[in-house]
Amino acid sequence: MKILMITPWYPDKESPNSGAFIRSQAETLSKDHDVVVIAAKVNYRKFGLYTYHHETSQYGKVTEHRLTIYKSLPVYNQLNAWFIMLRYSRKVAREFKPDVIHASIGYPGAYWGYLLKRYTGAPYILQEHTRVKNNFRSYFHRQLTLAGLRKADALVAVGTRLGTELKSLLHRDINVIPNVVEVERYRYDHRPQTTVMQIGFLGGMNTPVKGLDILLQAIAGIQKDFVLHIGGTGSKEEEYKAQAEQLGIASKCKFYGFIPYNDIPQWMEQLHFFVCSSRYETFCVALVEAMASGVPVVSTCCGGPEDFVNEGNGLLVENENIAALREGIRHMMQTHQQYNPQAIAIYASDNFSRQSFLTRIEKLYHEVIERAKR
């Protein structure tokens, strides 16, 4: 089968972890299929009326096209980006002749997929990884997103709650297929040899969505010795460091900054448990990466984690509730040794491995291809 994947999120030199889970999907599919990826984004730091840069690379058996479009004039900028993106992707599609188009992210993925379907005749699915309303940055964005979602041959959400949101908005069936997590990269038989609690947090810091401010407030009220390992970077990183100072826990917080994707397995091995304090998640890859390492977790009820955090691998606490999160962390400090690392890792492997994803997505591909032939 020939699969054309189109996405605005994908790893590149500037953002090596961005959309890493989409690259994992592409690599997984390439084991048995021909896969071409087109990743397109606008570079808002460079100006050009009709200027773009493109490069082609090979990642294993996956052919990758990265298209970077320079920003232009207001209003015209969006039209310019669409024109360049479609002209380039039509050229790739004409040469590749896909059997199915796998689009990601409602904007621009949904309508982009629809237009390529009109050109190639191949059916398209849209896999949503973020809240639908995050695509509604203007009337223009909203209308194109909704039109593309309604016209998709199938819709996929990475979590049940996100699927419910899509269904209530579009009144059509939604397939729930979780992200691929490369569980084989992680080992569960290594634990920190210290009585000082080693707690992990991993997430972007450009917005307050990951809730690090909530975690810092919660953990400041815990007297027991601990080290909070904080991975990730963004525009709010200095603000969080200042908050840790103000709360008197700076000496207990270790800020790592950006952690390369390949270094995450080793980073996880130093933890007794991992915390997700997010205000909202559609999935939460970091939680599953912790589980693949055999590490129990504490998570807020923020959307995605409710699908897979259970009594065998961790605790769920009320969302945006500092006291509840603090109590959950205290409880995990006392009980983390009662969890079975191997069982946690097996659960992650059974539900989020490459094969688990492949079985589900291939079935959906065949369904939309068969319907298109009728």
Side-chain angles (χ1 to χ4, degrees):
M1 189 186 305
K2 290 186 174 183
I3 304 163
L4 176 60
M5 301 184 74
I6 55 176
T7 176
W9 296 0
Y10 206 72
D12 57 24
K13 292 176 182 178
E14 290 187 356
S15 304
N17 284 6
S18 174
F21 44 84
I22 296 176
R23 192 183 218 184
S24 294
Q25 289 182 358
E27 185 184 23
T28 298
L29 289 164
S30 72
K31 304 297 182 183
D32 299 317
H33 307 284
D34 293 333
V35 180
V36 169
V37 176
I38 305 174
K41 69 176 185 179
V42 176
N43 184 336
Y44 289 95
R45 296 188 302 275
K46 295 185 177 181
F47 178 84
L49 288 177
Y50 185 78
T51 309
Y52 62 94
H53 171 76
H54 67 90
E55 61 180 41
T56 303
S57 59
Q58 203 72 23
Y59 183 73
K61 294 167 64 178
V62 180
T63 301
E64 302 174 327
H65 296 266
R66 290 180 177 82
L67 179 64
T68 303
I69 304 163
Y70 296 177
K71 74 171 183 179
S72 54
L73 301 173
V75 181
Y76 171 75
N77 183 65
Q78 290 295 323
L79 298 175
N80 179 61
W82 273 98
F83 183 79
I84 293 172
M85 186 170 66
L86 290 173
R87 183 179 179 185
Y88 186 88
S89 55
R90 283 180 61 176
K91 176 178 179 295
V92 173
R94 183 169 61 247
E95 296 173 356
F96 184 53
K97 297 181 175 60
D99 298 306
V100 66
I101 297 164
H102 183 144
S104 292
I105 318 302
Y107 188 89
Y111 206 73
W112 185 7
Y114 166 67
L115 292 177
L116 283 180
K117 174 185 176 176
R118 291 284 302 270
Y119 178 70
T120 64
Y124 81 102
I125 71 165
L126 185 285
Q127 184 172 26
E128 188 58 274
H129 296 264
T130 187
R131 298 187 77 173
V132 184
K133 71 176 186 179
N134 289 347
N135 299 306
F136 299 164
R137 299 192 295 277
S138 69
Y139 178 81
F140 174 83
H141 291 83
R142 178 186 174 91
Q143 294 307 112
L144 285 191
T145 299
L146 291 177
L149 291 172
R150 292 186 178 117
K151 294 175 182 296
D153 292 280
L155 292 175
V156 177
V158 295
T160 302
R161 181 167 164 183
L162 178 59
T164 300
E165 288 184 10
L166 283 167
K167 188 171 184 177
S168 65
L169 182 67
L170 301 167
H171 307 291
R172 56 177 298 185
D173 292 337
I174 308 296
N175 303 273
V176 177
I177 302 178
N179 280 316
V180 171
V181 179
E182 296 177 17
V183 295
E184 69 278 2
R185 300 195 310 132
Y186 299 82
R187 47 182 292 197
Y188 62 83
D189 58 350
H190 189 277
R191 281 295 165 270
Q193 301 301 309
T194 175
T195 57
V196 177
M197 285 293 104
Q198 307 294 311
I199 306 168
F201 169 93
L202 184 62
M205 300 181 191
N206 284 319
T207 73
V209 171
K210 296 297 181 180
L212 180 55
D213 58 319
I214 297 172
L215 175 56
L216 292 173
Q217 292 178 73
I219 211 162
I222 294 176
Q223 301 305 315
K224 188 173 182 178
D225 285 342
F226 65 85
V227 177
L228 178 59
H229 300 269
I230 302 170
T233 190
S235 59
K236 297 177 72 66
E237 184 175 357
E238 293 305 315
E239 178 182 324
Y240 293 136
K241 289 179 179 178
Q243 183 184 5
E245 288 278 1
Q246 184 179 20
L247 292 168
I249 57 172
S251 62
K252 296 182 177 182
C253 296
K254 185 174 182 180
F255 285 84
Y256 289 75
F258 172 76
I259 300 178
Y261 181 68
N262 290 332
D263 294 345
I264 294 175
Q266 185 176 4
W267 185 84
M268 288 288 183
E269 290 177 5
Q270 67 188 322
L271 307 179
H272 286 112
F273 62 93
F274 182 90
V275 178
C276 167
S277 52
S278 294
R279 290 176 166 86
Y280 190 91
E281 290 282 354
T282 56
F283 181 68
C284 194
V285 170
L287 273 178
V288 179
E289 290 173 330
M291 291 179 184
S293 304
V295 175
V297 302
V298 177
S299 177
T300 53
C301 293
C302 54
E306 292 94 306
D307 281 352
F308 53 84
V309 176
N310 56 52
E311 62 182 14
N313 55 40
L315 302 171
L316 287 167
V317 301
E318 185 178 349
N319 195 20
E320 296 190 66
N321 185 321
I322 295 169
L325 181 58
R326 182 182 298 130
E327 185 55 35
I329 291 171
R330 281 186 178 137
H331 185 75
M332 184 60 76
M333 284 179 164
Q334 297 169 354
T335 62
H336 68 93
Q337 291 181 322
Q338 298 175 15
Y339 290 88
N340 184 326
Q342 184 178 15
I344 295 174
I346 289 173
Y347 178 84
S349 180
D350 287 346
N351 289 278
F352 307 109
S353 66
R354 294 179 186 273
Q355 188 55 52
S356 176
F357 169 78
L358 196 59
T359 299
R360 298 174 188 181
I361 202 70
E362 282 183 333
K363 181 175 182 292
L364 186 59
Y365 288 161
H366 288 299
E367 287 175 1
V368 298
I369 290 172
E370 286 303 312
R371 285 203 301 267
K373 292 178 180 178
R374 296 172 190 168

